Every structure is written in C-alpha cells, then in structure tokens.
Amino acid sequence: MKHILVPTDFSINANHALQYAIFLFNKESCTFYLLNAYQSTSSNLESQRNKIRKTRLFEVTKAEAENRMHQLYRKVEKENKNPKHTFKSLSVANSLLNVIGKSVLNFSIDYIVMGTQGASGLQSVFLGSNTVKVISKIDFCPIIAVPANCEFNEVSEILFASGFEHICNKYELLPLINIAQAWKSKISILHWTTKNSNESYKINAREVIFKRLKNVSHELIELEKKHKISSEIEHFVAQNKQIAMITMINYWHSFLQKITSENVVQKVAFRTRVPFLVMHLPE
C-alpha cells in the first residue's frame, strides 16, 4: 500500500495533478490524502494566530475550506472506480509547508504530488512558488511536480539526469525504481561529459547507479556539454517525445542545485510539460 499526498488549493492545476497521481499509480494499491492548508492571515506569529482563530474571519475561512474539500472528496470518490484506490481528506489551518511536513511523517507518505502554476505573464514557468518551496524545504520525501496541462502518457521512458557526483545508497533511487517497475519503464541516464568526467569518484558513482538499476531496463546517454544544463535538458526532452518523466536527486551542492543556480524555474520551463520527480539524499 502506497501513501500519496496531494496538496490542493482547488485550482485547475491542483486538480490536474490529482488526476495525474491517480493515473500514475493506477496499477498499485494506494491511499491518496487530499490536503488543503488554509490561513486567514499571512502572519506566522503564534500570538496573532491564536487571536485570529477566535475571529469571524477565521471561521469563515475554515468553513469555506472544509466545504470545498468535502465537495472535492465526494467528486473524486464518485469518479474513481479503481478498487485499489482509497481517498482521505485533510483540511488544516496552518502554513502549507508545516502541514505537508507533518502529514508526511504522520501518514508515512511515499510521494508528494503537486500541481504547478506559472507566474503572471510567464506561461513557460514550470514550478510555481509553492512547489519550489516544498522541493527546497521538504527534503525527506520524493516530490512529483506536475506541469499544467501535461498529457497522461504511458510512462515508457524516464529521464534520470545525473552528474555522477556521489555514491547512491540502496534506498536513494527506490522512488524512481518503484515507478519504473510498475510501468516497466526504461530509465535513460543522461550525463554531460566534461573535463572531469573520468575522475575516479565519478566512474565509481556511475557503476553504483548501474548496479542499483540492475532490475530495471536502463541505458547511459552521454552528451557533450555545449550550453547551460537547463537548456540542454529542455532541448533533449523536446527531441525525445517518448520521455514521460524527468527525475533528479536533490542534495547539497547537487546537480539540481547547479541547475537551480541557472534559474531553472524560468529557463528550463519544461515546455514539453513532462512531470518532474525530485528525490532527496537521505540523512
């Protein structure tokens, strides 16, 4: 039984992410936790929060959030006929990050699936500000960011971009492996060659990744780095339509952080609308 957390603000993008989560895990027994975090103020001070909770404004906000969650829950229950899937709703007064963090621990969440939204006037933006915050702060659970309007294609191939920067442990790649095994996907390991590519620690890291992926179909694709990594990824995905998901490992000074330093939110943009799985280095 997998436990999937799907934060929602009841927007079109959030509902799209929920439908993608149901599609992605349609072959597995899952409990989906529909989560809405609401606040009647932007203040995070405990004293102010306690005062506001006694106000009419808070009561109205609470009632509206719970009503919308109830409607969403009933709609999903009615439309979803998969006997392997069950749904639970959570409507909590707190900040989104706090609620997600506590829910991951309380319900043993295996994946967080979040919709994304573009900034006003910038349709190519891939990760909305909330998703960026979750990826940055919730570093103890895999996160799948679902771009708006991405198509629900069979996950026949997953792109795993790696800089071969550290030795992956036994459990680090499990979120990727589990999805690949469920869909019988091929994992394409994408690596850009540089003058440091043949250093011994990178060779060792590459061999360990091959070992970890021994039970799933995989291949290594090496390209010469000509442009910024963000642009290279965008171009590669655009040229390979069979890729249904991109995944990376996020850790301190990691490949992903190097991409982020290039302003991945605006530059990569993932115009191909491919879902993005972010895994984390275990503590």
Side-chain angles (χ1 to χ4, degrees), residues 111 139 141-143 160 171-177 247-251 256 277-281:
Y111 295 88
D139 57 359
C141 184
I143 299 163
F160 173 39
Y171 304 101
E172 192 171 342
L173 296 177
L174 278 181
L176 167 61
I177 293 172
T247 183
M248 299 177 189
I249 299 173
N250 185 20
Y251 54 97
L256 179 58
L277 167 63
V278 180
M279 301 176 292
H280 302 278
L281 181 66

Side-chain angles (χ1 to χ4, degrees), residues 199-244:
E199 292 185 4
S200 58
Y201 80 94
K202 289 197 172 187
I203 294 175
N204 290 339
R206 180 185 64 195
E207 295 304 317
V208 169
I209 287 178
F210 291 165
K211 179 181 178 181
R212 303 300 185 210
L213 300 179
K214 65 181 180 179
N215 293 324
V216 295
S217 174
H218 64 275
E219 67 171 342
L220 174 64
I221 300 173
E222 292 194 306
L223 301 176
E224 181 182 355
K225 184 178 179 297
K226 297 180 179 180
H227 306 286
K228 290 186 175 181
I229 295 295
S230 55
S231 299
E232 297 273 10
I233 291 177
E234 181 182 348
H235 178 73
F236 187 86
V237 173
Q239 295 298 314
N240 295 270
K241 302 297 185 181
Q242 72 278 11
I243 294 173

Side-chain angles (χ1 to χ4, degrees), residues 137-148:
K137 301 298 184 181
I138 307 297
D139 57 359
F140 45 90
C141 184
I143 299 163
I144 301 174
V146 183

Side-chain angles (χ1 to χ4, degrees), residues 119 122 124-129 132 228-234 248 254-271 276:
L122 186 58
S124 62
V125 169
F126 170 48
L127 299 179
S129 58
V132 171
K228 290 186 175 181
I229 295 295
S230 55
S231 299
E232 297 273 10
I233 291 177
E234 181 182 348
M248 299 177 189
S254 71
F255 188 67
L256 179 58
Q257 287 193 358
K258 291 177 183 177
I259 294 175
T260 303
S261 70
E262 298 175 17
N263 199 346
V264 65
V265 173
Q266 295 185 21
K267 291 188 177 180
V268 174
F270 284 76
R271 293 181 176 90
F276 183 26

Side-chain angles (χ1 to χ4, degrees), residues 2-194:
K2 283 191 167 50
H3 300 271
I4 315 298
L5 183 68
V6 186
T8 181
D9 58 0
F10 311 112
S11 66
I12 293 175
N13 289 338
N15 290 337
H16 182 73
L18 172 58
Q19 294 305 316
Y20 180 79
I22 294 170
F23 165 80
L24 182 64
F25 298 103
N26 73 82
K27 303 174 184 179
E28 303 183 66
S29 297
C30 296
T31 297
F32 294 90
Y33 296 85
L34 314 180
L35 170 67
N36 175 248
Y38 62 90
Q39 290 181 302
S40 57
T41 176
S42 60
S43 173
N44 290 320
L45 297 178
E46 187 67 31
S47 59
Q48 291 184 3
R49 182 190 305 154
N50 288 336
K51 292 177 182 178
I52 290 171
R53 286 185 176 182
K54 298 178 182 179
T55 67
R56 176 61 178 165
L57 175 61
F58 177 81
E59 294 301 326
V60 170
T61 302
K62 178 175 183 291
E64 181 181 2
E66 291 179 348
N67 181 55
R68 296 186 73 179
M69 176 58 77
H70 180 66
Q71 292 179 12
L72 175 62
Y73 175 78
R74 289 187 61 183
K75 181 175 183 292
V76 172
E77 279 273 284
K78 181 179 179 180
E79 294 177 352
N80 188 70
K81 306 301 182 182
N82 191 335
K84 295 182 178 181
H85 290 175
T86 58
F87 298 88
K88 296 185 178 181
S89 62
L90 304 169
S91 190
V92 184
N94 208 323
S95 71
L96 181 63
L97 283 176
N98 285 342
V99 174
I100 288 178
K102 291 178 181 179
S103 298
V104 167
L105 298 177
N106 291 340
F107 303 110
S108 301
I109 298 298
D110 296 295
Y111 295 88
I112 301 167
V113 182
M114 292 189 68
T116 63
Q117 62 183 46
S120 176
L122 186 58
Q123 296 301 319
S124 62
V125 169
F126 170 48
L127 299 179
S129 58
N130 281 334
T131 310
V132 171
K133 291 177 183 177
V134 172
I135 289 176
S136 300
K137 301 298 184 181
I138 307 297
D139 57 359
F140 45 90
C141 184
I143 299 163
I144 301 174
V146 183
N149 301 319
C150 72
E151 297 181 359
F152 296 179
N153 295 322
E154 182 173 343
V155 188
S156 58
E157 183 172 345
I158 301 173
L159 180 67
F160 173 39
S162 175
F164 298 146
E165 295 174 298
H166 80 288
I167 304 297
C168 293
N169 65 37
K170 183 177 180 180
Y171 304 101
E172 192 171 342
L173 296 177
L174 278 181
L176 167 61
I177 293 172
N178 287 339
I179 292 175
Q181 288 180 332
W183 283 90
K184 297 180 172 56
S185 312
K186 180 180 76 172
I187 297 174
S188 294
I189 308 164
L190 186 59
H191 176 256
W192 287 269
T193 58
T194 65

